[in-house]
Amino acid sequence: MCQICCPSPSNSHDEIDCCLCGAPTTQAAFARIEADINRRAMLGGLAAVVGLYAGFGLASKPARAQTPGRPLLLTNLRYFNGNDLSLIQGREILIEGGRITGLPAAGQGPTDAERIDCGDRAVIPGLIDAHWHSTLVGVTQLQAMTADIGFVHLMAGREAGATLLRGFTTVRDTGGPAFGLKLAIDRGALPGPRILASGAMISQTSGHGDFRMTSELPRADGDLSYSERVGVVAIADGRAEVLRRTREQLMKGASQIKIMAGGGVTSLYDPLESLQFTEDEMRAAVEAAEDWGTYVCAHVYTPKGIQRALRAGVKSIEHGQLADLETVRLMRDMGAWWSIQPFLADEDSNPSSDPRQNAKRQEVSVGTVQAFEMGRTVGVNMAFGTDILMNPTGASSQGRQLAKLSRFMPPLEALRMATGAAGDLLALSGERSGYDGQLGVIAEGAMADLLVVESDPEAGLDWLDAPEQSLAMIVKGGAVVKDQL
């Protein structure tokens, strides 16, 4: 007899079997209680996680979305459409279901729309950073290589919200374990830009992505370094390994593939002029990417490295500041993209203390000015990126680095590199982008990513350095994520 359910009467020694623990109704009740306890535990755990994220500034903030069934109409404005180098007046911007569905003449928009008066301010497309490292920008190099990966991801989540509030509604992530962050943002778990992720950067042994110490050599079969295990890089040698590592990133959901085709500034062991990956190895990555309807972008600086990458079928040259005129013309003739950054060896440079790194940085800085001039003169497809890397204090310079392009070209031309042009580059990913809609433009059918700015974008871009004051409204996918109108 169950002494809990039915204890014997104190005045009797007779045992009465009144236990109903095994009865179906009792078991059903226990199941309901257990399910409720588990549900409360789960909710408590989720609350703790959300609380942790909120402590880092990651919890989703309320966004003023469209009223269900009602379109959103931005009125009393002038806008830059992302392509034409002038502001358009006399029109309004109609948003429905996260897209721009019309550009009616002023006063001709639907009467049932929810209206936002922009006060004659300028409206531009949401900005695109075509060379960003979502999970590697908010941590130092030591943290990226040694810290608990959970910490790295939390820092990435915090930085994602800050990126969006700087006006960058989309980024092309060119290396790092960003798939989880992308998924969390897409599902609305935390604020941030759209991410077109490359996954792990694919590097040869001794290449720009090989972060191992020389004491870790030689490598044994199956012996992965920390940076490989957590998805920062994938080291591959030979066609077969390059195919495997490329396909692994595609399996994880890569929008495009990133390879290291030459030496870099931040890496210590590879000379800047070194050629990395044979043409056949690069072609293996290109073939695997093309089989999935996407493309390969390549980190490379020098003419020989760029030319080898182009012959292998690479569609986007990352950096390339040491290119010569012949190579720039080849980029144009082959229809490749030049994803270029304002590397000027100034206060916004990624941190380094090694003399070898500083010497390489200075060499790239000298080439940067000439690269912008040649690219514009020859007519290469050019898109803006920052490549802020393992530089927590430098992340906030993202907009300021775009403003630096006005040193080389008129302000709206610079903005085009971070809007319409960058959107065309991202479109090379096709269905692998994960987003169905044109990016970087204000046009019918495009994604409704918009910035309402307090300054005149035709006059200059210095306002990009103070987004907290200069961006009166930020709209991503039709949802108002910031409103100071």
Side-chain angles (χ1 to χ4, degrees):
M1 184 184 71
C2 174
Q3 296 299 313
I4 297 176
C5 296
C6 187
S8 298
S10 57
N11 59 350
S12 173
H13 295 290
D14 297 333
E15 293 188 355
I16 302 174
D17 189 7
C18 62
C19 176
L20 299 177
C21 292
T25 54
T26 306
Q27 292 298 311
F30 284 167
R32 289 195 301 272
I33 294 170
E34 181 178 12
D36 185 62
I37 291 173
N38 289 337
R39 181 182 65 84
R40 292 172 185 269
M42 181 191 73
L43 291 177
L46 286 176
V49 171
V50 172
L52 175 61
Y53 272 62
F56 281 103
L58 303 183
S60 294
K61 296 183 173 69
R64 181 157 64 87
Q66 294 173 237
T67 302
R70 292 185 65 190
L72 191 66
L73 187 67
L74 273 60
T75 68
N76 191 16
L77 55 88
R78 49 210 169 90
Y79 71 91
F80 168 58
N81 66 8
N83 285 317
D84 299 324
L85 301 182
S86 62
L87 294 182
I88 299 170
Q89 301 191 47
R91 293 198 172 273
E92 299 172 340
I93 302 174
L94 182 64
I95 300 171
E96 296 179 85
R99 293 179 183 259
I100 299 171
T101 56
L103 297 167
Q108 299 302 307
T111 57
D112 64 335
E114 180 182 351
R115 294 171 180 266
I116 297 179
D117 187 335
C118 295
D120 197 36
R121 294 175 177 85
V123 180
I124 67 172
L127 301 173
I128 299 172
D129 191 329
H131 194 114
W132 186 248
H133 295 277
S134 305
T135 52
L136 301 178
V137 63
V139 291
T140 66
Q141 184 169 358
L142 181 62
Q143 290 169 338
M145 297 300 106
T146 63
D148 185 279
I149 194 61
F151 171 79
V152 173
H153 286 309
L154 282 171
M155 294 299 99
R158 181 177 69 173
E159 191 56 49
T163 302
L164 179 60
L165 292 179
R166 288 192 288 267
F168 288 86
T169 53
T170 303
V171 298
R172 183 179 62 150
D173 188 286
T174 51
F179 296 120
L181 178 63
K182 169 188 170 69
L183 181 62
I185 293 171
D186 290 346
R187 292 191 175 183
L190 68 156
R194 290 184 190 82
I195 299 176
L196 278 77
S198 301
M201 301 170 275
I202 301 177
S203 168
Q204 68 171 44
T205 294
S206 78
H208 183 53
D210 190 345
F211 299 114
R212 294 173 299 170
M213 304 296 290
T214 54
S215 59
E216 297 179 77
L217 304 179
R219 176 182 186 141
D221 290 341
D223 184 18
L224 299 181
S225 65
Y226 174 79
S227 59
E228 291 177 278
R229 291 197 303 272
V230 299
V232 173
V233 299
I235 298 175
D237 296 294
R239 166 175 272 271
E241 282 195 16
V242 172
L243 278 174
R244 176 185 296 175
R245 300 310 178 201
T246 299
R247 289 167 175 167
E248 286 173 350
Q249 302 317 306
L250 293 169
M251 182 178 178
K252 289 181 175 181
S255 296
Q256 62 284 318
I257 297 297
K258 165 76 173 295
I259 65 172
M260 302 305 203
V265 172
T266 57
S267 47
L268 294 177
Y269 305 115
D270 55 329
L272 199 59
E273 71 277 8
S274 63
L275 299 179
Q276 299 176 13
F277 282 132
T278 65
E279 189 172 325
D280 185 56
E281 286 174 318
M282 285 191 277
R283 190 175 292 113
V286 168
E287 291 169 357
E290 287 180 346
D291 284 346
W292 282 52
T294 186
Y295 69 100
V296 172
C297 61
H299 161 104
V300 62
Y301 283 100
T302 63
K304 287 184 179 180
I306 296 170
Q307 291 176 24
R308 178 183 288 187
L310 293 173
R311 289 195 303 269
V314 168
K315 298 296 185 184
S316 177
I317 299 300
E318 308 300 311
H319 315 314
Q321 277 87 348
L322 302 182
D324 57 17
L325 186 57
E326 176 190 358
T327 304
V328 174
R329 287 172 175 162
L330 184 61
M331 278 194 272
R332 176 200 61 194
D333 294 344
M334 297 189 73
W337 280 87
W338 196 350
S339 171
I340 189 168
Q341 305 75 36
F343 289 158
L344 298 171
D346 56 14
E347 68 280 0
D348 294 325
S349 298
N350 291 322
S352 68
S353 57
D354 191 280
R356 291 169 291 179
Q357 293 174 321
N358 293 332
K360 291 191 284 187
R361 172 177 293 120
Q362 190 59 41
E363 184 179 354
V364 169
S365 174
V366 172
T368 295
V369 177
Q370 182 179 357
F372 274 104
E373 292 174 351
M374 286 193 298
R376 294 184 66 230
T377 301
V378 172
V380 180
N381 297 320
M382 299 175 73
F384 165 78
T386 56
D387 194 29
I388 303 171
L389 182 63
M390 294 178 282
N391 187 2
T393 59
S396 61
S397 71
Q398 192 175 19
R400 181 167 67 245
Q401 298 207 41
L402 174 55
K404 292 177 186 179
L405 299 195
S406 58
R407 168 179 173 178
F408 310 109
M409 62 194 74
L412 289 187
E413 187 177 339
L415 275 183
R416 181 171 63 186
M417 284 184 61
T419 53
D424 289 341
L425 168 56
L426 269 53
L428 295 180
S429 293
E431 293 185 5
R432 299 286 79 73
S433 73
Y435 305 107
D436 182 20
Q438 193 175 6
L439 296 167
V441 295
I442 297 177
E444 289 191 28
M447 301 294 284
D449 298 347
L450 304 164
L451 309 178
V452 181
V453 302
E454 296 284 3
S455 299
D456 181 3
E458 287 184 300
L461 300 178
D462 289 345
W463 49 272
L464 286 165
D465 191 25
E468 60 279 359
Q469 286 88 37
S470 63
L471 299 183
M473 176 175 282
I474 300 174
V475 180
K476 177 194 168 192
V480 179
V481 297
K482 176 186 176 181
D483 185 1
Q484 292 182 345
L485 287 175

